[in-house]
Amino acid sequence: MEPIASADERLSALERRVAELEAATATPGSPQETAAAQENPDARSTVTAESSALSDRAGTALPSDTETFWALHGLVDHLGDGVTYTGYTTPPGSSDPVAWQMGLNSAGLAQIDFAEAAESLAALGHPVRLQLLQAIYEGTSTVAELGKDERFGTSGQIYHHVHALAGAGWLESARRGHWRVPAQRVIPLLTLVLIGTH
């Protein structure tokens, strides 16, 4: 049995793999695929429904529909039994796309202490903090700008929430008085929001 790699070794390996995958998939989806996705917003619901139906059947093998479950087949091809989340997006108001991928096989997942995620997840457990994150993700960057929106409360309350989010790694100081979601947290944040809303 191979020794379990340290977190730094796993991160380095994942970064190398991301670079390889980005190089291999440098061609974006065709305009026809993009148009089809825009014309059929219910496609996501269809995939979710199919996924739910599959999970209701105990012992179901890997679905053979590689067109619908292309990401799942890629996961199995590269990790076998495991979990991966990945994404590529250009945040609103930015010209710099963000790409991120994280994955662990079942042996790596077995080494995770769920309690270690408590602080990071707890920081997101307040509606105002999520609204602040969304506003900052969408381009609002200072407490003064955030203070113009009555949903966020007083400047003191905003600072309290911003510092809690920064302490958990969800925000960083871009420059004096300006905040942003760190690039390495954009995809994880969007993934958690998708999980929470669907």
Side-chain angles (χ1 to χ4, degrees):
M1 186 164 120
E2 291 184 39
I4 296 170
S6 71
D8 288 338
E9 291 170 329
R10 291 193 320 244
L11 181 58
S12 294
L14 285 170
E15 288 172 341
R16 282 193 303 276
R17 186 67 188 133
V18 168
E20 292 169 5
L21 289 170
E22 286 174 346
T25 60
T27 306
S30 70
Q32 295 82 4
E33 291 170 336
T34 303
Q38 290 171 345
E39 290 171 15
N40 186 10
D42 293 330
R44 180 179 59 207
S45 300
T46 303
V47 173
T48 302
E50 290 179 34
S51 300
S52 297
L54 285 168
S55 66
D56 291 341
R57 290 182 263 151
T60 300
L62 182 66
S64 60
D65 182 357
T66 57
E67 191 168 316
T68 301
F69 293 99
W70 57 270
L72 181 59
H73 281 266
L75 165 69
V76 172
D77 290 345
H78 291 285
L79 284 182
D81 181 7
V83 172
T84 295
Y85 65 94
T86 184
Y88 179 85
T89 189
T90 303
S94 174
S95 59
D96 298 325
V98 175
W100 186 253
Q101 175 176 310
M102 175 66 183
L104 283 174
N105 61 21
S106 57
L109 292 168
Q111 301 302 313
I112 294 175
D113 178 0
F114 284 19
E116 290 178 11
E119 181 182 357
S120 181
L121 295 176
L124 300 176
H126 193 291
V128 171
R129 289 184 185 166
L130 290 169
Q131 290 172 325
L132 282 168
L133 275 171
Q134 182 174 8
I136 293 168
Y137 168 75
E138 291 174 349
T140 304
S141 66
T142 67
V143 171
E145 292 171 329
L146 293 166
K148 294 176 184 175
D149 189 328
E150 61 186 36
R151 295 177 301 165
F152 303 142
T154 66
S155 292
Q157 291 169 323
I158 294 170
Y159 275 114
H160 171 75
H161 289 308
V162 164
H163 288 136
L165 290 165
W170 294 108
L171 288 177
E172 68 182 5
S173 179
R175 60 185 191 277
R176 186 172 173 83
H178 292 262
W179 297 93
R180 67 179 172 211
V181 178
Q184 70 272 18
R185 285 296 188 112
V186 169
I187 302 303
L189 174 62
L190 295 175
T191 301
L192 288 170
V193 169
L194 284 173
I195 291 168
T197 58
H198 290 88

